[in-house]
Amino acid sequence: DFYEWLSFLANCAKSSPHRWLLKPHPNSKERDDAILRQLFGNTPRSIVLPREAKLADVVAQNNILAALTVCGTIASELPAIGIPVINASVNNPHRDFAFSISPKTEVELAGEIEKIGSHDQTVSMDDLYLYHYFHNILGPTSDLSQYTS
């Protein structure tokens, strides 16, 4: 449930020393943006970006220490430029690869969020290439573990 995830993140953000940039999904609705503003409105270091904000611009203009997603494509994009990505769901298409972080429990997720800024930013480009080959050329599959290291 995305609302539960966002509520969890809002609580994490309240005690975080980091600035949180919240980029709504480009296909989100205005009511979704309002929910973000409502949940993060009391977190002083949180900024809800306009839905139209381009990810490339956000990355170029800010020192992004990590990105958080439930199961989004950013988990297979941002690691290529050295930005760690933490997935909130173990049911993501890249869970069998080492280029993003997929905690198995809420406690592990909270621990990974607390470690933001100290994650290893080097990733296996081979893993990224392999993932993109399987996902985009051969088609998505639920079990790629036999092909990963």
Side-chain angles (χ1 to χ4, degrees), residues 24-108:
H25 193 280
N27 296 333
S28 67
K29 306 291 183 214
E30 179 57 39
R31 69 177 181 271
D32 301 326
D33 299 353
I35 290 170
L36 276 177
R37 287 189 296 276
Q38 177 224 347
L39 287 172
F40 288 87
N42 293 327
T43 54
R45 290 172 304 280
S46 298
I47 300 167
V48 178
L49 300 171
R51 187 175 339 119
E52 304 79 28
K54 303 288 183 217
L55 184 59
D57 294 337
V58 173
V59 169
Q61 296 167 7
N62 298 277
N63 179 27
I64 307 295
L65 299 177
L68 306 167
T69 184
V70 172
C71 59
T73 58
I74 63 167
S76 65
E77 298 164 351
L78 293 182
I81 58 171
I83 299 174
V85 177
I86 304 168
N87 302 292
S89 174
V90 293
N91 296 319
N92 65 67
H94 22 75
R95 68 181 173 267
D96 295 319
F97 295 87
F99 54 77
S100 66
I101 302 162
S102 295
K104 293 180 176 57
T105 67
E106 191 173 297
V107 171
E108 287 181 21

Side-chain angles (χ1 to χ4, degrees), residues 129-140:
Y129 295 142
L130 188 62
Y131 167 77
H132 282 284
Y133 173 76
F134 281 114
H135 188 74
N136 298 314
I137 306 298
L138 294 182

